[in-house]
Amino acid sequence: MKIVMVPSGFKECLDADEVGEAMERGVRRLHMDASITVIPMIDGGEGFARSIVNIKQGQLYHMEVTGPVGQPITSCFGVYTEHNKKTAVIEMAAAAGLKLVPRDRRNPLWTTTYGVGELIKGALDYGVDHILIGCGDSGTCDGGAGMAQALGAVFSDEAGKPVFVRGGGDLHKVQTIELAGLDPRLRDVQIDVACNWHNILCGMDGVAHVFAPQKGATEAEVEQLAGALHHYAYQIHSQLGVDITHAPGSGASGGLGAGLAAFTKAKLHPRYEIIMQYINIEEHILGADVVLTAEGCLDYQTPNGKIPSEVARIAKSKGIPVIAITGTIGENAEINYENGIDAYSSIIQTPTSLDQAIKKAALWIADSTEAALRHVRIGYQIAHRSFVEGKRP
């Protein structure tokens, strides 16, 4: 058999490389002689910078930045040179990711993207010509205001008094936006952002309603954030002339996409439009008997630009069946059957705590992958027997 595995990471648990290794172990238990290709997939979130820099044979640089809850953390960005052009690669998750927010402090009203702005400044210090930013796995919902402040933007309230935006909970105070102090080097650098094109900033489908609950917001806090982001978008549109209210990608990473577009003139891109320039899945899956993918949670949001749906889209164009291995099966996950995934299963084997599931994730992924391939083998045996006995399907 030719088996191709294209997993994403399991958020706050295993990165895509680790998931791929676990899946391969599961396959090898059953098919020692199988042709196996593992393509750890990135989506702009955790592991984005390291993966791109490894592909381009660049280098990672570490620096101290402000973490999402305001405490200093060690983060990094990558730099590579190609065609005499120096590119910095930044993943917002390395400075403002959900993994960096302690569980007892998860409240997107008070988490910041300030460290992302510090990473951008750090990259500018290396004299780069181009910055590529991956948006994903965020623990914030501040519309990129923290990032903008780190780069020199100043926000003021009704009385003209400067306001330091500590998180989305302060955005309603913003009445004046001043960009005179913005880092002038931004004018000479092209910034491209890989983001989920389906995420928008405002409205019932906006980032507050869709994602803030996953970051610790209560129903009341979701409404507070939604109102604050709408106010913030209005101020940006009226003062800067940039309408990011419902722009595609504006809601990426808690509205960081909107902030990057408004304050740095970054260009937002559907993330796979950029990522496929580095990882060519199509050439690897040609001739595969089955494609396996993986995701921490499979639910109704998966078809909206998540890795399993993108893998399924490509595999289906080649007529190849797709199986998804998932940490948990969420609400309305069956919609994925209509979007190219032929079968899916959870790795959870028994009632367990989150901590225990994280500890056993690699083992359970291997077990689930083996089980999935055992089912495939049954299908092969049935088909072979039918062929030998001269039966038609």
Side-chain angles (χ1 to χ4, degrees), residues 144-197:
M147 174 273 304
Q149 290 174 136
L151 292 172
V154 175
F155 302 110
S156 301
D157 61 16
E158 284 184 340
K161 182 180 178 181
V163 172
F164 184 79
V165 178
R166 299 167 294 163
D170 282 333
L171 292 176
H172 71 284
K173 302 175 184 177
V174 174
Q175 297 295 330
T176 304
I177 303 171
E178 177 56 62
L179 301 185
L182 207 62
D183 195 313
R185 296 174 296 178
L186 291 168
R187 292 193 292 264
D188 302 318
V189 175
Q190 174 189 347
I191 300 179
D192 291 300
V193 182
C195 61
N196 190 330
W197 205 237

Side-chain angles (χ1 to χ4, degrees), residues 108-327:
L109 290 173
W110 310 120
T111 49
T112 180
T113 55
Y114 197 91
V116 179
E118 291 176 313
L119 285 179
I120 293 173
K121 290 191 72 171
L124 292 172
D125 289 341
Y126 276 82
V128 298
D129 308 290
H130 175 225
I131 298 176
L132 174 61
I133 300 177
C135 283
D137 299 333
S138 70
T140 55
C141 199
D142 72 350
M147 174 273 304
Q149 290 174 136
L151 292 172
V154 175
F155 302 110
S156 301
D157 61 16
E158 284 184 340
K161 182 180 178 181
V163 172
F164 184 79
V165 178
R166 299 167 294 163
D170 282 333
L171 292 176
H172 71 284
K173 302 175 184 177
V174 174
Q175 297 295 330
T176 304
I177 303 171
E178 177 56 62
L179 301 185
L182 207 62
D183 195 313
R185 296 174 296 178
L186 291 168
R187 292 193 292 264
D188 302 318
V189 175
Q190 174 189 347
I191 300 179
D192 291 300
V193 182
C195 61
N196 190 330
W197 205 237
H198 298 274
N199 291 353
I200 59 174
L201 188 66
C202 298
M204 291 306 297
D205 294 324
V207 66
H209 286 101
V210 177
F211 292 107
Q214 300 174 13
K215 302 173 186 180
T218 64
E219 289 186 18
E221 288 165 345
V222 165
E223 295 304 324
Q224 183 180 345
L225 274 172
L229 286 167
H230 191 273
H231 169 82
Y232 175 69
Y234 173 80
Q235 298 299 341
I236 287 175
H237 190 195
S238 62
Q239 296 182 51
L240 306 183
V242 183
D243 187 359
I244 40 81
T245 310
H246 299 102
S250 60
S253 291
L256 177 64
L260 286 165
F263 300 111
T264 73
K265 307 303 180 185
K267 184 175 181 181
L268 308 185
H269 302 266
R271 52 189 171 185
Y272 297 114
E273 179 182 293
I274 288 179
I275 290 167
M276 292 308 176
Q277 297 175 22
Y278 297 89
I279 302 174
N280 189 343
I281 295 177
E282 293 193 27
E283 69 178 32
H284 291 293
I285 69 172
L286 286 174
D289 294 294
V290 63
V291 171
L292 282 80
T293 185
E295 178 88 334
C297 177
L298 199 80
D299 60 15
Y300 70 95
Q301 294 184 40
T302 302
N304 296 328
K306 298 291 185 70
I307 284 175
S309 66
E310 181 65 13
V311 172
R313 180 189 67 77
I314 296 171
K316 283 304 173 186
S317 71
K318 311 297 181 186
I320 302 169
V322 179
I323 299 172
I325 306 297
T326 180

